[in-house]
Amino acid sequence: MSWKRNAGWLSVLLIFLSGCATVALNAGFDEVSVAVAERGAGKIVWNSGTDLDKEAAEKVSSLLKGGLTADEAVQIALLNNRDLQAIYSDLGIAQADLVQAGLFQNPVFDAAVLFPVSGGRPDLDLSVVMNFLDVFYVPLRKRVATARFEETKLKVAGAVLDFARQVRTAFYLHQANEQMLELRRTVVQTLTASLELARRLHEAGNITDLDFARERALTEAARLELRTAEMAERQSREQLNALMGVWGKNTEWRTGGRLPDIPAQTTAGDDLERLALSRSLDLSIARQRIIAAGEQLGFNRATALIPEPTLGPLGEREEGWEAGPTVELSIPLFDRGQARIARALTELRRARQEYYGLAVRIRSVARAVQDRMSGSRDRALYYRDILVPLRERIVNEAQLQYNAMQLSPFELLRAKEQQIETAAAYIEALRDYWLARTDFAHILNGRLPGLDGGGARSEEGRMKMNGREAH
């Protein structure tokens, strides 16, 4: 009787331990928050109906009232974007899987009632069976689930950093579009005044029909470019609205000014490859994936050839009650687990190859982004210090010679046109530098922006294309 009593207490203990398991849906969020803050991306809050939600909303309202900087736009998006909030749910799902992995399988109750054809009292068969080896499988399942939970935390942290980079890139694109719009408006105002003067000269017979037509063509082309700039500015603004999760009156924000000038000091790029590898979240994720694949392989090997026996008491009533144990075994005759083992082994090999391939790609992307940032810096400085002042001087000299009747109107117009295009090219070079600098910082934060410089260029091209199609 002692073994029955011990088995009963063991069953009660297992049921008690399983029943105490709870799911903390925000588990792992603190670690993600710390990882994001350490990389300077900003503060994140998981909306859950607490006082922190109200503080986050007040913070967003406060930031929207002033002229936004790139850091402030990122902070607003981190606090207010609902798509980002949805990503945090992956933590709850992974935690639920981890808790599920620690639960024992439910016992199965079986009952049968047989009615004799000749009449009389029905026979009863009652049994309760349970997979008792499940006690030994639980630690193996938990190791697999724990590895995947750690991988999920790293993935969520990486997604937050990617989102912050996306917002920062969109902000610099919008600042560049605003600056380009400001330039195009100034050009149109200047050329409109010049066209009016040319009209008077043409009516007085001082310039030919050809010169007047050229002056007008230049003005009309500038108006067309202004319309394109207006479209690009509105679209980049809407993209930022979506990323920051604002609508209604909150969309009436303004930026803090033009694109920042090129910093006097260059960003230190010494030992960049080592830093990129040591701080890489992508590599940490790939490493965790190897661990999870290894744990899964171990679980599959441990359970492949072992049948899943169920054991429990059986009670049967015919003439009287009879009781005894019942055992069920699955015979590994056809399915010996070879397919599950092969699949787990293949996934482990793939995870290892992806890890080494990723390390090589990180080195390459780090070098490429550093080179792009250095080249963009040189181009922007060349425009700022040499070409823009030179074009301004050429226009001033051409204007003086034109006033002295030593230069044709066409040559003056050509000088003005080149000055405008040089100013526009400087804005684009300055924008490219800040986009490259954003990608450079993203690599040092542990994420891979992509060899093409991320989605910024494609997004910019799409905006320009939409702007042109609008005409």
Side-chain angles (χ1 to χ4, degrees):
M1 292 298 291
S2 61
W3 70 271
K4 293 182 179 179
R5 185 166 56 252
N6 293 335
W9 281 112
L10 178 61
S11 301
V12 172
L13 178 62
L14 293 177
I15 293 172
F16 175 76
L17 293 176
S18 299
C20 290
T22 58
V23 181
L25 295 179
N26 60 348
F29 184 75
D30 291 341
E31 291 95 319
V32 172
S33 180
V34 170
V36 170
E38 286 177 346
R39 287 167 169 77
K43 180 182 179 182
I44 58 175
V45 174
W46 191 353
N47 295 342
S48 53
T50 64
D51 292 339
L52 288 177
D53 300 355
K54 186 178 179 181
E55 293 179 11
E58 292 174 349
K59 179 71 173 177
V60 170
S61 299
S62 174
L63 292 174
L64 287 171
K65 292 177 181 176
L68 289 183
T69 64
D71 289 339
E72 290 171 345
V74 169
Q75 185 58 78
I76 291 173
L78 291 179
L79 294 177
N80 206 42
N81 186 282
R82 296 307 176 97
D83 291 330
L84 187 63
Q85 294 287 323
I87 291 175
Y88 299 153
S89 299
D90 290 346
L91 294 171
I93 295 172
Q95 174 66 11
D97 291 341
L98 176 58
V99 173
Q100 180 65 43
L103 299 178
F104 300 111
Q105 293 182 7
N106 291 324
V108 178
F109 173 73
D110 183 68
V113 181
L114 301 177
F115 296 93
V117 178
S118 58
R121 192 173 61 174
D123 298 334
L124 297 178
D125 286 340
L126 303 175
S127 67
V128 178
V129 295
M130 182 177 176
N131 183 357
F132 64 89
L133 282 185
D134 193 51
V135 176
F136 303 101
Y137 293 160
V138 165
L140 297 176
R141 288 202 305 263
K142 288 189 70 174
R143 290 171 64 177
V144 175
T146 300
R148 289 175 177 165
F149 181 54
E150 295 299 322
E151 180 184 347
T152 300
K153 287 193 289 187
L154 292 170
K155 283 183 175 178
V156 171
V160 174
L161 294 176
D162 289 345
F163 178 73
R165 169 189 172 271
Q166 185 183 4
V167 176
R168 190 176 297 276
T169 298
F171 185 82
Y172 286 138
L173 283 173
H174 180 65
Q175 269 193 317
N177 287 337
E178 282 190 330
Q179 199 166 336
M180 189 68 75
L181 178 59
E182 180 185 352
L183 170 69
R184 296 299 181 188
R185 282 173 176 163
T186 303
V187 168
V188 167
Q189 291 174 0
T190 303
L191 292 181
T192 300
S194 178
L195 179 62
E196 181 60 26
L197 177 61
R199 186 191 307 279
R200 294 175 186 174
L201 294 174
H202 179 254
E203 291 174 353
N206 292 330
I207 61 174
T208 64
D209 292 344
L210 178 60
D211 292 336
F212 178 69
R214 284 171 174 166
E215 182 79 31
R216 183 182 175 188
L218 182 61
T219 305
E220 298 301 337
R223 289 171 178 166
L224 193 61
E225 290 296 333
L226 173 60
R227 188 73 181 93
T228 303
E230 289 173 344
M231 290 291 297
E233 189 272 342
R234 281 201 291 270
Q235 290 186 42
S236 60
R237 186 181 188 84
E238 288 304 326
Q239 185 190 18
L240 265 179
N241 283 335
L243 290 173
M244 294 192 297
V246 297
W247 55 282
K249 290 188 175 298
N250 285 337
T251 60
E252 298 174 359
W253 50 268
R254 57 182 175 80
T255 59
R258 298 178 177 178
L259 283 169
D261 200 0
I262 301 293
Q265 295 182 344
T266 58
T267 303
D270 299 337
D271 207 10
L272 175 62
E273 293 181 34
R274 187 189 63 80
L275 288 175
L277 291 176
S278 62
R279 299 178 183 179
S280 175
L281 272 179
D282 297 302
L283 275 182
S284 298
I285 294 171
R287 193 180 302 115
Q288 201 61 43
R289 195 174 298 130
I290 293 175
I291 295 174
E295 297 292 355
Q296 184 65 54
L297 177 60
F299 177 80
N300 289 353
R301 280 176 171 167
T303 60
L305 293 177
I306 300 176
E308 297 183 357
T310 57
L311 176 65
L314 170 65
E316 182 177 349
R317 188 190 71 182
E318 291 182 356
E319 298 298 331
W321 278 103
E322 297 176 347
T326 179
V327 178
E328 294 180 359
L329 288 173
S330 62
I331 302 174
L333 185 60
F334 305 108
D335 180 8
R336 300 177 182 176
Q338 61 270 36
R340 289 186 290 126
I341 293 175
R343 178 186 175 87
L345 185 60
T346 303
E347 290 182 349
L348 177 60
R349 289 174 178 171
R350 181 174 64 180
R352 287 173 175 166
Q353 295 301 321
E354 288 177 345
Y355 180 83
Y356 290 114
L358 179 61
V360 173
R361 196 160 67 251
I362 289 174
R363 289 177 178 273
S364 176
V365 173
R367 293 192 300 269
V369 171
Q370 186 182 31
D371 182 68
R372 182 159 66 89
M373 185 179 67
S374 176
S376 300
R377 175 187 170 83
D378 293 342
R379 287 183 68 246
L381 290 176
Y382 194 81
Y383 273 110
R384 187 194 67 181
D385 299 335
I386 297 177
L387 276 181
V388 171
L390 187 60
R391 289 296 179 193
E392 183 177 1
R393 180 182 174 185
I394 290 174
V395 169
N396 292 337
E397 293 293 333
Q399 186 67 53
L400 291 175
Q401 293 190 21
Y402 173 75
N403 294 339
M405 309 280 295
Q406 296 177 351
L407 200 68
S408 69
F410 176 75
E411 291 173 303
L412 176 60
L413 290 176
R414 180 60 183 161
K416 288 182 178 178
E417 187 177 10
Q418 290 176 338
Q419 183 191 28
I420 294 169
E421 296 308 320
T422 300
Y426 169 60
I427 295 174
E428 293 175 350
L430 189 59
R431 175 206 60 198
D432 290 344
Y433 167 75
W434 284 107
L435 295 184
R437 188 184 174 96
T438 300
D439 287 348
F440 185 80
H442 199 54
I443 288 178
L444 293 182
N445 282 338
R447 293 294 284 178
L448 206 57
L451 283 171
D452 59 348
R457 297 299 185 86
S458 58
E459 184 64 21
E460 172 203 355
R462 186 183 64 79
M463 289 180 178
K464 285 188 174 180
M465 185 65 71
N466 291 339
R468 292 191 180 97
E469 289 174 352
H471 296 283

